[in-house]
Amino acid sequence: MKDVAARAGVGLKTVSRVVNGEPGVTPDTERRVQEAIEALGFRRNDSARVLRKGRTASIGLVLEDLADPFYGPLSRAVEEVARAHGALLINGSSAEDPDREQELVLALCARRVDGLIVIPAGADHRYLEPEIEAGVATVFVDRPAGRIEADTVLSDSFGGARAGVAHLIAHGHRRIGFIGDQPRIHTAVERLNGYRAAMEDAGLAVEGAWVSLGSTEPARVRRAVTGMLTGDLPVTAIFTGNNRVTVTVVRALAAHERPVALVGFDDIELADLLGITVVAQDAAALGRTAAQRLFGRLEGQEGAPTRVVLETALVPRGSGEIPPSA
């Protein structure tokens, strides 16, 4: 800074004001300082700034899997809000492992991020209580926190699944299968409950063989499809619990001899071209809403933790409108 000040012919305080975007500097002086900064390759020492202000201007985002297409728009929306607030976003994946989630969250806290947005893998987040009490703003998104009260932003998994299954029922289906994610995951259970509620609303029984929860590994999902289509009471339609399950089911049904209706929770790439009916949730809105809440807390908003539930939208494209073949 001394070199910049000498080259620009100003004092250290003036350089500091320019670097930190503070008022009180004439346009001509700011121009001379900026030219000196560029000529000398000056970079602000953010470590010193953190020590002085107590803030790192960074937030952490803990996702399930960075490779999952669902999280791309969510992450981008968080990043855009962070950028608008002059903050850096640090991403990490929990791989749906509660221990890895905790390790990653605490590592981010150790690096003094100002806030956290977490898509939880675990069911007990009491380990975060000391960090929250120490001032780390925290918002949970897509799934609620476990065993603590915290700001949360969710999609209406129950209502969306209920509407998707009701859509299949309205097109004549009475034997409808459900293939979802692991039962310890909040969204998987909510979507299963929505499926059951739609069937109950229509006075339809649910056979045990029509429901399959488990990993999203293609082999497991294919086995579930085969079982549902070859039993004593084969289903005529399938509702899938997330995008990864939907992709595998689409491939499995392509080889099936009779048409089977399909509605999937989450939109998937090329679904419009393939004619896949979906219950779409707005991943970008989830990320944006969570980030706005986080920065609101960082800027001093007080009050009890809030819970925001965003609506889903049924998007008919053809696969959910196939009538029962038997």
Side-chain angles (χ1 to χ4, degrees), residues 242-255:
N242 67 29
N243 55 353
R244 284 169 291 185
V245 174
T246 302
V247 169
T248 300
V249 172
V250 168
R251 289 172 174 156
L253 293 181

Side-chain angles (χ1 to χ4, degrees), residues 55-101:
R55 294 276 292 272
T56 63
S58 64
I59 64 170
L61 172 60
V62 178
L63 303 165
E64 176 200 344
D65 183 358
L66 286 168
D68 188 328
F70 172 73
Y71 294 118
L74 189 154
S75 177
R76 178 62 181 271
V78 172
E79 184 176 25
E80 289 300 318
V81 175
R83 186 167 179 261
H85 286 82
L88 177 70
L89 176 66
I90 306 171
N91 284 331
S93 296
S94 69
E96 205 63 76
D97 180 342
D99 292 335
R100 182 167 169 176
E101 173 210 294

Side-chain angles (χ1 to χ4, degrees), residues 278-291:
V278 300
V279 174
Q281 53 180 331
D282 192 336
L286 280 171
R288 183 168 52 253
T289 304

Side-chain angles (χ1 to χ4, degrees), residues 40-275:
L40 295 172
F42 171 80
R43 295 292 182 272
R44 181 175 62 193
N45 187 330
D46 280 335
S47 295
R49 184 168 176 263
V50 167
L51 290 173
R52 186 173 70 254
K53 294 192 173 184
R55 294 276 292 272
T56 63
S58 64
I59 64 170
L61 172 60
V62 178
L63 303 165
E64 176 200 344
D65 183 358
L66 286 168
D68 188 328
F70 172 73
Y71 294 118
L74 189 154
S75 177
R76 178 62 181 271
V78 172
E79 184 176 25
E80 289 300 318
V81 175
R83 186 167 179 261
H85 286 82
L88 177 70
L89 176 66
I90 306 171
N91 284 331
S93 296
S94 69
E96 205 63 76
D97 180 342
D99 292 335
R100 182 167 169 176
E101 173 210 294
Q102 180 173 340
E103 178 184 346
L104 179 56
V105 165
L106 294 180
L108 289 167
C109 290
R111 284 159 178 77
R112 299 186 63 185
V113 294
D114 299 324
L116 291 165
I117 295 177
V118 181
I119 296 173
D124 187 347
H125 293 91
R126 288 177 295 175
Y127 72 85
L128 255 173
E129 287 179 333
E131 309 298 336
I132 294 173
E133 290 173 4
V136 179
T138 305
V139 177
F140 288 81
V141 65
D142 191 45
R143 309 166 188 172
R147 306 187 72 176
I148 65 170
E149 294 295 321
D151 290 318
T152 306
V153 181
L154 309 171
S155 289
D156 185 6
S157 287
F158 175 87
R162 191 177 195 173
V165 176
H167 184 73
L168 290 168
I169 293 170
H171 283 80
H173 295 278
R174 299 295 178 264
R175 303 194 303 274
I176 303 170
F178 176 89
I179 304 177
D181 210 331
Q182 302 190 53
R184 62 180 175 82
I185 298 174
H186 171 82
T187 49
V189 174
E190 284 291 287
R191 292 164 196 174
L192 172 61
N193 290 340
Y195 158 82
R196 290 189 180 280
M199 296 292 278
E200 183 178 348
D201 291 343
L204 301 175
V206 175
E207 298 291 328
W210 297 351
V211 175
S212 178
L213 296 180
S215 90
T216 58
E217 288 296 318
R220 198 284 299 183
V221 175
R222 285 182 178 276
R223 286 195 300 272
V225 172
T226 299
M228 291 180 187
L229 296 179
T230 59
D232 293 335
L233 289 172
V235 301
T236 62
I238 295 175
F239 184 83
T240 52
N242 67 29
N243 55 353
R244 284 169 291 185
V245 174
T246 302
V247 169
T248 300
V249 172
V250 168
R251 289 172 174 156
L253 293 181
H256 193 63
E257 59 184 17
R258 62 181 174 85
V260 177
L262 171 66
V263 175
F265 201 107
D266 288 339
D267 214 344
I268 60 173
E269 189 174 6
L270 301 182
D272 53 337
L273 295 178
L274 296 172

Side-chain angles (χ1 to χ4, degrees), residues 1-15 18 25-26 28-37 40:
M1 288 181 69
K2 289 180 181 178
D3 293 339
V4 170
R7 187 181 182 98
V10 299
L12 282 173
K13 182 60 178 175
T14 300
V15 176
V18 172
V25 182
T26 66
D28 182 64
T29 299
E30 182 178 0
R31 177 186 57 76
R32 296 204 318 272
V33 172
Q34 292 289 3
E35 288 176 351
I37 285 172
L40 295 172

